[in-house]
């Protein structure tokens, strides 16, 4: 006994339904109209026209929170104006870049030494100046010596 | 390619004046001539009914990339023409913004403007706020910073709120919010325990909110005070004493019709009288 419809039967019924629905649909028999591109934009508010500032103001420290807000909102507006300009500002640093690089170099060295095996530790101190790995280490690797009774 | 046809009309004595480029010539310039139409009249007084018309016809392919012109308040788009609907002076801002600088006292809500409203009623989930327009604006109680369904904001009838319009057109009731799109208050919300609220004209409000406002610069030399300016013509002032508050109020109301010279002498007199 089959419960429900067959897959094929279902497809047929669906197609018939679609056909009926699309026949019933009404549509306009007009050529396709392209929407005209509007190059005139209407703006109702004065705020962008005249670059009006934020409305809450406080002078001479009467309300410090509002003064902070004034700075925040007005510099935010200036930042939007300067977005296209190249505003890569150098942050003030306590140490120079060269010193930072030197520090970092020695830091990397010391970390490497810390996690290296005992045998490699001495190798690191020897090969520090060999940047291009020109000197090949030709010492024979120490193998396991079987104890002789 | 953009072809512009220009009208040559001798209708200088008719009521509706059409500002066009004279001469019947076919120019291959793009938006420069449209800007030239406007540029002749920048700084001049225009009346409602004046029309800027420039008819464009495309030749061949339809995809033309043109710059946009932004018509500010006082200018309306009417098909392919721009009509003036308020009397005033035509102003221009780079690169492509034009508007009419006019004077009025009655405020019409516009989207994105920050206004001072007075809460008149509390009904269910929204507050009804009077902003000085033709209809009262609605302010949802969730439109405050940190407000949730359980944590309702502390707003009573009669409070002053500083908020922005999210919806403001002639077909619907305006809606205010007191947070920005990130959810932060940014100075909006209920304010003002003390102080004085009064009404000025919209032109003065724009002069007060201008980037380098001379009135503000002169005022702050007198004494410390706090000021909230709403674009609906409402100004709220608070100073240390009632007398100082009233002085600032009077100064703001009178400097509307003064030249800058008169204003500066007046402010100096007040500052001296105070010290």
């Amino acid at each position: 006994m089959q419960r429900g419809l067959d897959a094929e039967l279902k497809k047929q019924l669906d197609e018939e339904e679609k056909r009926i629905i699309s026949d019933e649909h009404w549509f306009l028999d007009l050529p396709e109209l392209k929407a005209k591109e509007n190059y005139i934009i209407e703006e109702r508010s004065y705020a962008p026209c005249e670059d009006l500032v934020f409305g809450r103001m406080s002078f001479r420290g009467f309300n410090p929170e509002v003064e902070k807000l004034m700075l925040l909102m007005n510099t935010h507006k200036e930042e939007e104006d300067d977005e296209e300009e190249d505003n890569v500002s150098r942050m003030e640093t306590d140490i120079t870049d060269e010193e930072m690089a030197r520090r970092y170099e020695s830091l990397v060295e010391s970390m490497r030494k810390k996690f290296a095996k005992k045998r490699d530790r001495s190798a690191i101190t020897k090969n520090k100046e060999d940047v291009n790995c020109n000197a090949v280490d030709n010492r024979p690797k120490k193998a396991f010596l079987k104890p002789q009774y | 390619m953009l072809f512009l046809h220009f009208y040559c009309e001798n209708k200088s004595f008719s009521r509706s004046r059409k500002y066009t480029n004279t001469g019947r010539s076919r120019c291959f310039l793009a938006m420069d001539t449209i800007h030239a139409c406007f540029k002749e009249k920048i700084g001049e007084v225009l009346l409602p009914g004046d029309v800027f018309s420039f008819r464009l016809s495309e030749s061949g392919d339809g995809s033309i990339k043109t710059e946009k012109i932004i018509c500010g308040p006082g200018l309306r788009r009417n098909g392919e023409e721009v009509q003036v609907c308020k009397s005033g002076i035509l102003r221009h801002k780079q690169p492509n913004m034009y508007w009419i600088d006019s004077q009025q006292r009655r405020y019409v809500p516009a989207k994105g403007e920050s206004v001072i409203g007075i809460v008149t009623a509390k009904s269910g989930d929204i507050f009804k706020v009077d902003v000085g327009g033709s209809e009262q604006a609605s302010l949802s109680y969730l439109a405050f910073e940190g407000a949730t369904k359980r944590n309702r904001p502390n707003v009573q009838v009669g409070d002053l709120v500083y908020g922005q319009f999210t919806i403001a057109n002639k077909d619907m009731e305006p809606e205010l919010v007191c947070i920005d799109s990130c959810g932060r208050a940014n100075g909006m919300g209920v304010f003002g325990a003390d102080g004085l609220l009064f009404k000025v004209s919209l032109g003065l409000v724009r002069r007060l909110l201008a980037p380098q406002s001379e009135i503000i610069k002169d005022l702050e030399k007198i004494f410390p005070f706090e000021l909230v300016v709403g674009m609906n013509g409402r100004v709220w002032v608070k100073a240390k004493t009632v007398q100082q508050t009233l002085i600032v109020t009077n100064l703001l109301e009178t400097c509307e019709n003064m030249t800058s010279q008169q204003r500066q002498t007046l402010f100096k007199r007040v500052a001296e009288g105070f010290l």
Side-chain angles (χ1 to χ4, degrees):
Chain A
M1 281 231 314
Q2 273 186 352
R3 281 200 178 188
L5 299 167
D6 226 357
E8 282 182 26
L9 265 176
K10 257 195 197 165
K11 263 195 230 166
Q12 276 181 8
L13 280 174
D14 280 338
E15 275 172 26
E16 277 185 28
E17 262 188 62
K18 272 190 207 161
R19 239 189 317 128
I20 294 173
I21 290 173
S22 60
D23 279 341
E24 284 178 356
H25 271 163
W26 289 28
F27 56 90
L28 288 174
D29 202 5
L30 293 171
E32 221 181 77
L33 296 167
K34 259 190 281 185
K36 280 193 219 168
E37 192 187 302
N38 287 331
Y39 60 93
I40 306 179
I41 305 175
E42 274 194 12
E43 167 75 52
R44 287 257 163 255
S45 163
Y46 276 105
C49 295
E50 299 186 0
D51 284 336
L52 302 178
V53 301
F54 188 54
R56 290 194 77 165
M57 298 182 246
S58 154
F59 305 106
R60 291 217 195 155
F62 194 80
N63 190 341
E65 291 165 5
V66 175
E67 300 214 343
K68 265 188 259 169
L69 260 176
M70 275 170 76
L71 288 173
L72 190 72
M73 299 295 285
N74 293 336
T75 47
H76 177 64
K77 193 172 65 93
E78 274 175 29
E79 264 178 28
E80 282 180 17
D81 292 339
D82 293 340
E83 249 175 18
E84 294 180 5
E85 292 177 24
D86 196 14
N87 53 354
V88 176
S89 57
R90 304 204 78 224
M91 289 176 51
E92 284 180 21
T93 49
D94 293 328
I95 52 176
T96 63
D97 291 344
E98 286 93 13
E99 221 187 285
M100 181 73 182
R102 254 181 275 142
R103 236 351 129 78
Y104 196 64
E105 206 181 292
S106 67
L107 178 73
V108 166
E109 206 54 61
S110 51
M111 289 306 273
R112 193 190 298 159
K113 262 205 225 171
K114 190 174 172 185
F115 290 105
K117 303 258 180 199
K118 220 175 187 177
R119 286 185 188 158
D120 301 337
R121 244 179 259 164
S122 49
I124 287 174
T125 44
K126 274 189 202 167
N127 290 348
K128 237 197 326 195
E129 291 177 14
D130 185 13
V131 181
N132 292 333
C133 301
N134 286 332
V136 182
D137 198 5
N138 282 336
R139 277 179 304 174
K141 249 185 153 175
K142 294 186 179 167
F144 176 68
L145 293 173
K146 193 165 177 184
Q148 293 173 342
Y149 297 105
Chain B
M1 264 307 188
L2 201 66
F3 291 90
L4 296 166
H5 297 271
F6 300 101
Y7 295 112
C8 176
E9 296 185 8
N10 292 328
K11 284 192 178 177
S12 50
F13 294 105
S14 70
R15 176 68 181 88
S16 85
R17 296 174 283 180
K18 284 199 167 192
Y19 297 112
T20 63
N21 275 358
T22 54
R24 195 169 289 219
S25 57
R26 263 187 165 197
C27 296
F28 286 78
L29 304 164
M31 303 301 282
D32 295 337
T33 35
I34 297 183
H35 285 290
C37 252
F38 281 108
K39 263 175 191 151
E40 294 170 353
K41 297 288 158 192
I42 290 179
E44 292 204 12
V45 176
L46 299 177
L47 297 175
D50 297 344
V51 175
F52 291 91
S53 70
F54 19 77
R55 195 162 58 110
L56 299 142
S57 65
E58 302 160 10
S59 83
D61 61 329
S63 63
I64 291 170
K65 194 169 176 211
T66 56
E67 292 166 17
K68 309 255 179 192
I69 291 188
I70 303 182
C71 295
L75 294 172
R76 285 184 75 113
R77 185 174 72 90
N78 189 10
E80 302 235 4
E81 299 172 333
V82 173
Q83 276 185 343
V84 176
C85 61
K86 278 201 196 144
S87 47
I89 302 177
L90 183 66
R91 302 263 186 234
H92 172 56
K93 184 178 112 153
Q94 296 294 336
N96 56 354
M97 202 181 269
Y98 298 93
W99 74 91
I100 300 281
D101 193 4
S102 63
Q103 180 69 291
Q104 62 183 54
R105 286 190 76 96
R106 164 66 78 166
Y107 177 64
V108 174
K111 184 174 165 174
E113 293 195 340
S114 312
V115 293
I116 296 181
I118 306 174
V119 178
T120 53
K122 217 165 150 179
S123 69
D125 288 345
I126 56 169
F127 301 109
K128 284 284 182 204
V129 178
D130 166 40
V131 288
S134 55
E135 269 191 86
Q136 298 203 338
S138 70
L139 171 60
S140 163
Y141 76 99
L142 289 172
F144 289 87
E145 187 174 11
T148 58
K149 285 194 183 161
R150 298 249 180 110
N151 180 17
R152 297 190 164 224
N154 188 14
V155 178
Q156 307 301 325
V157 171
D159 280 351
L160 294 175
V161 281
Y162 186 66
Q164 271 186 346
F165 283 113
T166 48
I167 296 182
N169 52 32
K170 60 182 171 68
D171 302 318
M172 290 167 61
E173 176 191 53
E175 283 186 21
L176 276 177
V177 285
C178 290
I179 50 172
D180 65 357
S181 51
C182 299
R184 290 179 301 214
N186 274 347
M188 295 191 276
V190 179
F191 67 92
D194 302 315
L196 180 64
L197 179 77
F198 57 99
K199 200 160 167 7
V200 293
S201 75
L202 304 189
L204 179 63
V205 160
R206 292 204 303 272
R207 277 194 288 162
L208 286 174
L209 289 177
Q212 304 292 330
S213 170
E214 292 182 1
I215 309 180
I216 297 285
K217 281 187 193 160
D218 290 336
L219 262 180
E220 65 181 344
K221 291 178 198 161
I222 306 182
F223 39 63
F225 66 101
E226 193 189 337
L227 182 68
V228 178
V229 181
M231 294 201 51
N232 52 348
R234 294 187 180 165
V235 178
W236 178 86
V237 177
K238 180 174 170 183
K240 279 205 193 110
T241 65
V242 174
Q243 197 192 26
Q244 288 184 0
T245 313
L246 289 174
I247 290 175
V248 176
T249 308
N250 283 327
L251 286 175
L252 280 174
E253 282 177 342
T254 51
C255 69
E256 182 168 344
N257 293 327
M258 286 186 173
T259 62
S260 51
Q261 190 70 20
Q262 289 169 331
R263 196 186 61 233
Q264 274 164 5
T265 41
L266 175 64
F267 282 20
K268 250 185 240 171
R269 241 182 29 214
V270 172
E272 280 160 23
F274 218 76
L275 292 168

